[in-house]
């Protein structure tokens, strides 16, 4: 739940429409692979337990793999839920991109309000924290622009038409 592997996002060109290159680097840190192996072994132990025998016929995956073969299986089977976060973290250290008002350091009139500002990966689904970030962004913008919630809602609806 707290991966040590770190990925990168890189620009591929100078234009806003140029795609970005995403290097997830999943399981690049040895501790992450060790944790994934421990999880696979625990799941196998539970699935093959006497208590579950009446409900199962046989182990389908990964099978009786050990060592490098189990590592290869885990590397090949690992997938993302596309909940990457923390690429523009909020904070005050040298790696931080966004301040507490969601403003990007060094760029005027630019704020970020999505999962990228999370300073650490959450241990659950990212939807709830993203909703909180969006709500907070709304509060900040209403305050800065001296809008009531009703005015902000009306402006938002007009923009969608």
């Amino acid at each position: 739940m707290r991966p040590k592997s770190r990925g990168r996002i890189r620009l591929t060109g100078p234009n806003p429409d140029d795609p970005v290159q995403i290097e997830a680097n999943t399981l690049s840190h040895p501790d992450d692979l060790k944790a994934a192996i421990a999880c696979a072994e625990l799941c196998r132990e539970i699935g093959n337990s006497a208590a579950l025998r009446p409900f199962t016929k046989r182990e389908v995956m990964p099978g009786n793999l050990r060592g490098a073969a189990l590592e290869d299986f885990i590397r090949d089977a690992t997938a993302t839920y596309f909940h990457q976060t923390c690429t523009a973290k909020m904070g005050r250290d040298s790696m931080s991109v966004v301040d507490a008002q969601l403003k990007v350091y060094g760029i005027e009139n630019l704020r970020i309000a999505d999962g990228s500002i999370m300073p650490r990966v959450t241990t659950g689904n990212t939807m709830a924290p993203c909703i909180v970030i969006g709500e907070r962004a709304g509060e900040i913008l209403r305050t800065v622009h001296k809008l009531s919630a009703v005015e902000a809602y009306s402006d938002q609806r007009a923009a969608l038409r």
Side-chain angles (χ1 to χ4, degrees), residues 143-154:
T143 301
V144 167
H145 297 286
K146 297 177 177 57
L147 297 172
S148 71
V150 172
E151 289 171 319
Y153 179 75
S154 297

Side-chain angles (χ1 to χ4, degrees), residues 15-72:
N15 300 314
D17 293 335
D18 291 336
V20 293
Q21 178 185 17
I22 300 172
E23 298 172 23
N25 282 337
T26 305
L27 300 177
S28 61
H29 194 284
D31 289 351
D32 294 344
L33 182 58
K34 286 178 191 173
I37 290 169
C39 287
E41 290 173 345
L42 176 63
C43 289
R44 291 177 70 201
E45 184 180 327
I46 292 169
N48 292 321
S49 69
L52 292 181
R53 259 190 220 119
F55 308 105
T56 60
K57 291 182 180 181
R58 70 190 185 314
E59 180 178 331
V60 177
M61 288 190 275
N64 194 21
L65 300 179
R66 300 272 183 253
L70 182 57
E71 287 181 18
D72 288 343

Side-chain angles (χ1 to χ4, degrees), residues 10-139:
R10 296 175 191 231
L11 300 176
T12 62
N15 300 314
D17 293 335
D18 291 336
V20 293
Q21 178 185 17
I22 300 172
E23 298 172 23
N25 282 337
T26 305
L27 300 177
S28 61
H29 194 284
D31 289 351
D32 294 344
L33 182 58
K34 286 178 191 173
I37 290 169
C39 287
E41 290 173 345
L42 176 63
C43 289
R44 291 177 70 201
E45 184 180 327
I46 292 169
N48 292 321
S49 69
L52 292 181
R53 259 190 220 119
F55 308 105
T56 60
K57 291 182 180 181
R58 70 190 185 314
E59 180 178 331
V60 177
M61 288 190 275
N64 194 21
L65 300 179
R66 300 272 183 253
L70 182 57
E71 287 181 18
D72 288 343
F73 171 82
I74 288 171
R75 286 186 188 283
D76 291 340
T78 299
T80 177
Y81 286 107
F82 300 103
H83 291 176
Q84 289 90 342
T85 57
C86 312
T87 55
K89 80 176 227 162
M90 179 190 298
R92 294 184 184 158
D93 62 20
S94 63
M95 293 296 292
S96 297
V97 176
V98 177
D99 68 15
Q101 296 299 306
L102 308 178
K103 291 181 181 179
V104 175
Y105 290 117
I107 301 176
E108 285 187 40
N109 300 320
L110 179 62
R111 295 177 197 260
I112 299 177
D114 62 23
S116 66
I117 70 162
M118 294 181 201
R120 288 177 301 285
V121 177
T122 60
T123 57
N125 191 296
T126 57
M127 185 180 115
C130 286
I131 289 170
V132 171
I133 292 165
E135 290 290 330
R136 181 68 181 126
E139 290 173 5

